[in-house]
Amino acid sequence: MAPEKREWSVPGPIRALLWWPGVAFVLVMVAPESAAVGIAASGAVLMLLGAVVPMALRRLRRSRPAPRGIDDRPTVELPTVELPPVERVA
């Protein structure tokens, strides 16, 4: 059986950089004299956050093994279905 294809998503650093134009605009409005350095620094910080936060979340979400003797896997119980006998007509 062929493996299912995962849907593509935008990588974390690029997703974080989508905030860069808004942050740059606010920096220019607040401190126009230091806007060039602030814009470059904010881009670097956003890209760093976009790379570090997803990795940290993956580590936090990593499943921890259950203690021995406890089987906490989900189970499925199917109802019993009784079919009436089939009458043959020939």
Side-chain angles (χ1 to χ4, degrees):
M1 180 178 209
E4 293 183 23
K5 292 184 179 179
R6 293 178 50 191
E7 289 188 29
W8 183 81
S9 64
V10 179
I14 295 173
R15 204 171 339 144
L17 281 176
L18 292 175
W19 288 90
W20 198 18
V23 171
F25 178 75
V26 170
L27 287 173
V28 169
M29 297 303 289
V30 171
E33 62 278 352
S34 62
V37 174
I39 290 171
S42 69
V45 168
L46 284 171
M47 196 163 64
L48 181 67
L49 281 174
V52 171
V53 170
M55 287 189 299
L57 288 176
R58 258 185 256 125
R59 280 203 173 176
L60 290 174
R61 290 182 187 159
R62 192 179 295 169
S63 63
R64 294 179 179 90
R68 286 189 158 181
I70 298 175
D71 188 11
D72 198 22
R73 292 179 289 180
T75 58
V76 177
E77 293 183 22
L78 298 174
T80 304
V81 178
E82 293 184 22
L83 299 173
V86 178
E87 295 181 18
R88 296 194 177 220
V89 179

